[in-house]
Amino acid sequence: MVMRNVRDDAVGRQRPYISPAAAVLLAVALLSLTPSVAHAADSGVVARLDPPQIALGETAELSVTIESTSDVRPGLRPVDGLRFGYVGQSSRMQSVNGEISLSQTFHYQVSAERVGSFSIPAIEVRIEGRLEKSEPLELEVVKASGVAQLQRGRLSPSAPALSTPATSNGRDASQGVPDDVAERLFLRVVVAEEMPYVGELVPIEIEAWFPDGQGVVLESLPRPEGNAFTLENAEEEAERTRQALGGRVYQVLTWRAALSAVKEGRFPLCFAMDARLRVRSARATPRRRTSRLRGLLGADPFADDFFGDDLFADFFAPVREQEVTLKSEVIDLEVRALPAEGRPEGFHGAVGNFEVNAEVSTRRVAVGDPLTLRSAVRGTGNFDRVTAPTLDAPEGWKSYAADGNFEAADGVGLVGEKIFEQVIVPIDDGVDAVPPVVFSFFDPDREEYVTLRTEAIGVVVGGTASRRAHAPGSDSISSVAEIDADDGLVPNHDASTGGASDLSPLPRRPVFLGLVALGALGLAAGVWLTLRRRALETDPARQRRRRADRAVGRALVGLDRAIEADDAPAFFEAARCALQERLGERWACPPEAITLREVETRRPDVPDVAVTVFEACDAVVYAGRATMPGDLPVWRESVCEALHALETDR
Amino acid sequence: MNRFADIRRRRPRLLLALVVLVMVLLVVVVAAFRAAQADDACDPAARAFDEGRYEDAVDEYRHALAESGYSAPRLFNLGNAYFRAGEVGRAISSYERARILDPRDPDIAENLAVVRHRAGLAAPGAPWWKRAAAWFSLDEWARIGAGALLLLALFLLYRGVFPALSRRMAALRDPSPRLFRSVTLTLAVVVVVSAVAIGLGVSDLDRAVVVDGAVVLRISPFEAAEATTSLPEGSLVEVERAFDDHVHVQAGDGRSGWAPAAQIEPILPVPGP
């Protein structure tokens, strides 16, 4: 609804009184037919309220447009029962024939504290010294449910079932949550049984409905309020679906569980769940415009996401988190007590529909030999209260505590099989059967107690603990394995070949371990040698040194032979060769290229004794200088000293 | 004269051939003797088995094992005899022992399955790598692995000392780097695979079988202790520790407790004192 502004000298028009119902109908008709474009006045202030009629808990958007180039702000007067929240402002500049005009629009969120008709007085703005006013506005606030239905336009066929759940609820906890969002959060509970018995497990489905696209963080799983009911075996992972309802798309989380009543009587059943909503605070009512468009075109649940929001306004709006508590509608359940009449002795609280069977690990035992009795209870019900079936008339048997193991066939543990294993020992050789096992439960469908009893299991109990006293031809059965010759066994093999004296495998024999240790040592040595070889092959200095060592070794042998032969030229030739090899290695040059001149040139690097020996060698080999044979051993010492000096100086 | 000279020259060769012939004959005779001895040892067992005297057959096969040693056929036959005599646990134990020696014998696997089925026992499951490792017996894996290890060591030693050897024996050839890498890698893989397979197999040697009827597992190693559960005869268990005349065992399904040692027969026989 658009209100044209008037000058301060204008008088507000008297608005005729209309009833709330008529106002609602009128509002709907106008919403459907009237576009929400304000008629721009010549200048001044235009205020509009969108929509003019809301449900309690919803908000309307008040926008005040001021056409002025100066910086002005509208003044809002407080209205009893209404709250105004500043949302933001926008500006628009126009140039028509060179004349520039500026309009600013201020947005407010209006919410009501009670049902009724409210009048928002004229909004006053001082523009260039003039006091300008808008027209007063009227806001109709009605009860929540009626308006909700009217605004949704049409509900899905399932609406009746879903209209009853409490809406957002937890209003106290959700202060600040946009009302249209809060109104669309709810829990829905479907209970399979309206009059359960105490202890009976009743399948239950709990659905949490959230508007699609709404950021939600679950803080808890659904929980029953009060102390009359407990939730059993709730699935931790909820099933997530998308569903359309009332023209909106929802994310629906569904938990399946079992409900158990802990005491008899009539109790309200209500579920609650905590969550945190992510709310964009700058634009609290973003979907008003398209709501009306949907009203014209018909509800389209999938158009909501694409066209419903002002994407960019929401994108830049600040986000805050708000805690909310969702609650379901209250359902009154009549919890019935299990009848005292006809309650069997062995009843331990099992309620449901069960069947039982039993078997034994062997049918042939000796007195004192244990056997395992395996009882299986399968069906539907509260398996947490299913205890091991008991032996009926256990005379002659000693029984031990049973171990139970439950295997659920569904997600919530209502259907499945509980298997008990119990060791029993015959203590009397007169027994010929394992007694029947007995199991009692209460059947809620038949509304009576049921006691199941299996058949006795025939066994053969020998007189002593030794089962090996079986004699051929005896009519007693030695064991379950005693069977006829056609027992499926592969016939005997030819066992005439020899065998090993020890069954211990080779890896456990010391000889083998010793062999492996030897192999490991060889492997380590091989690896070391291989690495060493690779190092030699890739290091020229080491290669030169090895070559020089070998050549020097050969030369020393030549020295000794020359001494023995008293052959001075051969001696000094060998000595010269040895020195050349060592110096060649040292200087990284070919040994044969080293001369006396070279040695003298590098004299500081060559020990004196080496120079002396080299000079003597040259003198004997090239100059033919005679040397006393008796001197050769002395010269050998000198050669060795020179070689040693070259090695140590390396 | 020349002929005599020829004979004198050939004498060492003739002597060598004669020695080899004698040795071969000796080996054949010994083998035949042992086979005959084994045959003799097994005959009464086979006869007792054929006549349906299974407990006698058990005794005879056990005697044959003590006299002639363990062999897969002998243990297999003993398992058959035990089963026919009604001793499921010892039958399974014998088959498991036979499988240590000959893991690829389908008859052993089949009879094990038959016995377990008849006794209502579930076949123990094993992951694929354990089944693959069980294709060879532990002895076979040991031979393969040790052979590969020794070959690898020799190969590396040869290559490491080749430069020194080649100076003395010119005919020797240095393996090319490519051949060296291929051979080394292949042998190393064989060694590692064998070691893993042996490790897997050795861990199974500590298993044992419940014999002499179902065994009651107790929370402590005393007859008066509270029973926790029971295991049927023939169940495979792992022996974890011993205390006096009790052993702590764990079954394949996780159940554990103390059992009388007399009812738990290790698959690998414990050597006597």
Side-chain angles (χ1 to χ4, degrees):
Chain A
M1 173 176 274
V2 178
M3 304 297 174
R4 176 177 292 204
N5 71 318
V6 292
R7 301 278 178 181
D8 59 345
D9 54 353
V11 178
R13 289 173 292 179
Q14 290 288 323
R15 299 182 64 80
Y17 173 77
I18 55 174
S19 68
V24 169
L25 292 174
L26 181 62
V28 171
L30 289 174
L31 282 171
S32 305
L33 300 173
T34 310
S36 62
V37 180
H39 298 288
D42 298 333
S43 65
V45 182
V46 176
R48 61 185 180 187
L49 196 57
D50 183 17
Q53 176 267 322
I54 59 173
L56 185 62
E58 289 190 335
T59 59
E61 182 180 347
L62 172 64
S63 56
V64 181
T65 304
I66 303 169
E67 295 194 357
S68 170
T69 54
S70 56
D71 184 17
V72 293
R73 282 185 174 275
L76 288 180
R77 294 179 189 172
V79 179
D80 184 31
L82 292 185
R83 284 178 295 178
F84 297 93
Y86 176 68
V87 175
Q89 70 180 83
S90 59
S91 302
R92 189 178 67 175
M93 185 179 286
Q94 274 189 316
S95 176
V96 180
N97 296 328
E99 187 179 343
I100 296 174
S101 64
L102 179 67
S103 67
Q104 298 178 72
T105 302
F106 296 84
H107 301 277
Y108 300 88
Q109 193 182 61
V110 185
S111 58
E113 296 173 347
R114 62 174 185 272
V115 173
S117 295
F118 297 91
S119 178
I120 301 173
I123 298 168
E124 298 177 344
V125 182
R126 187 166 292 280
I127 303 173
E128 296 171 355
R130 298 188 314 273
L131 187 64
E132 297 196 7
K133 294 182 179 177
S134 69
E135 267 196 18
L137 301 171
E138 296 292 330
L139 177 65
E140 290 288 333
V141 180
V142 297
K143 287 183 179 177
S145 58
V147 174
Q149 288 207 6
L150 282 171
Q151 284 192 332
R152 284 173 186 148
R154 57 192 170 114
L155 292 172
S156 71
S158 60
L162 291 170
S163 60
T164 47
T167 53
S168 78
N169 316 310
R171 303 284 298 173
D172 293 340
S174 60
Q175 288 293 333
V177 176
D179 289 347
D180 68 326
V181 173
E183 183 262 329
R184 291 163 61 192
L185 306 171
F186 56 89
L187 284 182
R188 178 190 175 217
V189 174
V190 179
V191 187
E193 174 67 60
E194 292 180 351
M195 295 177 64
Y197 283 94
V198 173
E200 180 184 0
L201 287 187
V202 179
I204 187 172
E205 275 190 12
I206 306 162
E207 296 174 349
W209 291 62
F210 302 98
D212 195 21
Q214 174 67 53
V216 179
V217 178
L218 299 184
E219 291 288 296
S220 71
L221 291 173
R223 60 182 182 278
E225 297 209 313
N227 56 4
F229 301 98
T230 59
L231 198 62
E232 308 282 343
N233 310 325
E235 296 172 334
E236 289 189 3
E237 293 290 329
E239 179 186 333
R240 183 187 293 267
T241 56
R242 291 180 88 212
Q243 295 187 31
L245 174 65
R248 297 181 188 277
V249 180
Y250 289 84
Q251 291 278 355
V252 182
L253 301 178
T254 305
W255 288 269
R256 291 178 184 81
L259 186 73
S260 175
V262 297
K263 54 188 175 183
E264 63 177 290
R266 189 170 190 81
F267 301 103
L269 173 65
C270 176
F271 279 86
M273 189 179 75
D274 298 325
R276 273 187 292 129
L277 300 184
R278 307 188 76 185
V279 181
R280 293 190 185 276
S281 57
R283 188 175 170 85
T285 56
R287 295 181 177 167
R288 293 294 168 207
R289 200 176 296 273
T290 51
S291 297
R292 269 173 294 163
L293 186 63
R294 269 205 311 275
L296 287 173
L297 302 177
D300 178 3
F302 300 102
D304 202 38
D305 282 344
F306 293 99
F307 307 111
D309 292 336
D310 183 342
L311 176 65
F312 294 101
D314 278 357
F315 184 79
F316 292 108
V319 176
R320 60 191 168 81
E321 290 192 339
Q322 183 68 45
E323 293 182 354
V324 295
T325 300
L326 279 69
K327 289 185 179 175
S328 71
E329 67 167 335
V330 175
I331 303 170
D332 279 337
L333 291 183
E334 180 73 36
V335 181
R336 293 179 284 179
L338 295 173
E341 186 182 348
R343 180 176 297 186
E345 266 189 26
F347 176 73
H348 295 290
V351 180
N353 193 356
F354 303 98
E355 58 185 48
V356 64
N357 61 27
E359 59 187 22
V360 290
S361 58
T362 178
R363 298 194 177 210
R364 179 76 184 177
V365 290
V367 173
D369 270 0
L371 59 84
T372 302
L373 174 64
R374 189 171 181 272
S375 312
V377 179
R378 66 175 66 90
T380 305
N382 53 350
F383 278 95
D384 58 329
R385 299 197 188 185
V386 170
T387 56
T390 53
L391 284 176
D392 192 19
E395 289 80 16
W397 293 87
K398 179 182 179 183
S399 59
Y400 292 87
D403 288 333
N405 186 29
F406 175 59
E407 290 184 6
D410 63 350
V412 295
L414 265 171
V415 183
E417 182 180 33
K418 198 165 187 177
I419 296 172
F420 297 92
E421 287 194 345
Q422 184 177 19
V423 175
I424 57 175
V425 181
I427 53 177
D428 182 356
D429 58 1
V431 296
D432 58 357
V434 175
V437 296
V438 179
F439 177 69
S440 298
F441 62 94
F442 181 78
D443 188 339
D445 296 333
R446 294 160 59 182
E447 300 186 349
E448 64 180 13
Y449 292 99
V450 177
T451 297
L452 299 177
R453 180 176 278 101
T454 64
E455 296 289 327
I457 305 171
V459 292
V460 176
V461 179
T464 66
S466 170
R467 299 184 301 120
R468 315 303 166 203
H470 162 64
S474 161
D475 56 359
S476 66
I477 303 170
S478 65
S479 88
V480 68
E482 185 180 65
I483 42 189
D484 55 36
D486 187 17
D487 51 14
L489 285 185
V490 176
N492 284 354
H493 286 177
D494 176 14
S496 58
T497 54
S501 58
D502 191 358
L503 197 59
S504 292
L506 281 177
R508 285 200 170 175
R509 295 188 196 174
V511 174
F512 176 79
L513 294 177
L515 189 67
V516 169
L518 199 65
L521 277 176
L523 183 66
V527 168
W528 179 75
L529 284 171
T530 305
L531 292 176
R532 184 166 169 269
R533 179 182 170 184
R534 179 175 295 177
L536 284 175
E537 286 173 351
T538 55
D539 186 354
R542 295 183 71 171
Q543 283 183 299
R544 279 200 310 274
R545 185 177 178 188
R546 284 174 59 83
R547 191 172 56 236
D549 286 346
R550 288 197 296 269
V552 168
R554 287 195 298 270
L556 289 176
V557 172
L559 287 182
D560 293 338
R561 286 180 183 160
I563 290 173
E564 286 177 7
D566 199 17
D567 184 355
F571 176 88
F572 283 102
E573 177 63 34
R576 188 169 181 275
C577 184
L579 287 173
Q580 278 178 319
E581 287 289 345
R582 193 55 79 198
L583 289 170
E585 176 222 342
R586 186 185 182 108
W587 297 336
C589 64
E592 59 274 12
I594 296 172
T595 60
L596 178 61
R597 179 185 180 81
E598 181 81 11
V599 171
E600 286 175 338
T601 305
R602 300 197 186 195
R603 184 149 192 158
D605 189 36
V606 183
D608 290 341
V609 61
V611 177
T612 305
V613 172
F614 215 98
E615 285 172 347
C617 291
D618 266 18
V620 173
V621 174
Y622 297 120
R625 179 181 166 186
T627 305
M628 293 300 289
D631 293 337
L632 290 183
V634 179
W635 276 109
R636 189 186 187 284
E637 293 297 324
S638 300
V639 171
C640 291
E641 185 183 351
L643 290 173
H644 181 70
L646 286 172
E647 282 180 22
T648 50
D649 281 357
R650 185 185 290 133
Chain B
M1 188 71 183
N2 284 340
R3 240 177 17 192
F4 287 117
D6 279 351
I7 289 172
R8 273 201 297 273
R9 246 195 334 268
R10 286 187 209 156
R11 189 173 289 164
R13 289 184 189 175
L14 285 173
L15 196 62
L16 184 67
L18 199 62
V19 168
V20 169
L21 185 65
V22 167
M23 286 182 70
V24 168
L25 284 174
L26 199 62
V27 168
V28 169
V29 168
V30 168
F33 175 75
R34 289 192 65 175
Q37 196 181 30
D39 220 9
D40 290 345
C42 285
D43 263 345
R47 205 161 36 244
F49 190 92
D50 291 341
E51 292 171 359
R53 294 181 288 110
Y54 299 121
E55 294 189 351
D56 292 343
V58 166
D59 292 339
E60 293 297 339
Y61 277 123
R62 292 183 63 177
H63 178 72
L65 285 173
E67 289 292 315
S68 308
Y70 293 98
S71 72
R74 210 163 284 149
L75 288 164
F76 175 82
N77 295 350
L78 178 62
N80 285 356
Y82 268 133
F83 180 62
R84 292 271 171 84
E87 298 197 41
V88 175
R90 290 203 163 84
I92 289 175
S93 172
S94 297
Y95 291 137
E96 290 283 1
R97 287 171 181 171
R99 207 157 63 158
I100 290 176
L101 297 176
D102 191 357
R104 292 184 298 281
D105 188 338
D107 292 350
I108 300 173
E110 187 168 339
N111 278 11
L112 254 179
V114 167
V115 171
R116 285 197 170 115
H117 177 72
R118 298 297 293 256
L121 297 166
W128 65 269
W129 62 84
K130 270 202 162 187
R131 292 200 302 273
W135 178 250
F136 290 118
S137 71
L138 271 176
D139 282 3
E140 288 167 338
W141 276 120
R143 290 188 190 105
I144 292 170
L149 180 70
L150 290 176
L151 276 180
L152 182 61
L154 288 175
F155 191 67
L156 289 175
L157 282 171
Y158 172 75
R159 191 164 191 278
V161 301
F162 172 78
L165 286 176
S166 61
R167 285 194 293 274
R168 292 168 177 79
M169 289 180 275
L172 290 178
R173 294 185 61 186
D174 194 15
S176 69
R178 190 173 173 184
L179 176 68
F180 173 73
R181 276 197 300 271
S182 304
V183 173
T184 306
L185 188 65
T186 305
L187 291 173
V189 166
V190 173
V191 170
V192 170
V193 169
S194 304
V196 171
I198 288 170
L200 290 173
V202 165
S203 66
D204 282 347
L205 293 178
D206 293 331
R207 294 182 306 166
V209 181
V210 174
V211 297
D212 291 343
V215 66
V216 177
L217 301 186
R218 301 178 188 278
I219 59 172
S220 54
F222 307 102
E223 279 301 321
E226 188 180 345
T228 58
T229 185
S230 72
L231 297 175
E233 182 177 0
S235 300
L236 272 181
V237 296
E238 207 160 305
V239 179
E240 295 177 330
R241 56 189 182 277
F243 182 83
D244 283 349
D245 54 351
H246 280 71
V247 288
H248 192 269
V249 298
Q250 183 171 31
D253 58 4
R255 288 185 290 172
S256 63
W258 290 94
Q263 277 193 269
I264 305 297
E265 183 168 283
I267 290 176
L268 204 60
V270 180

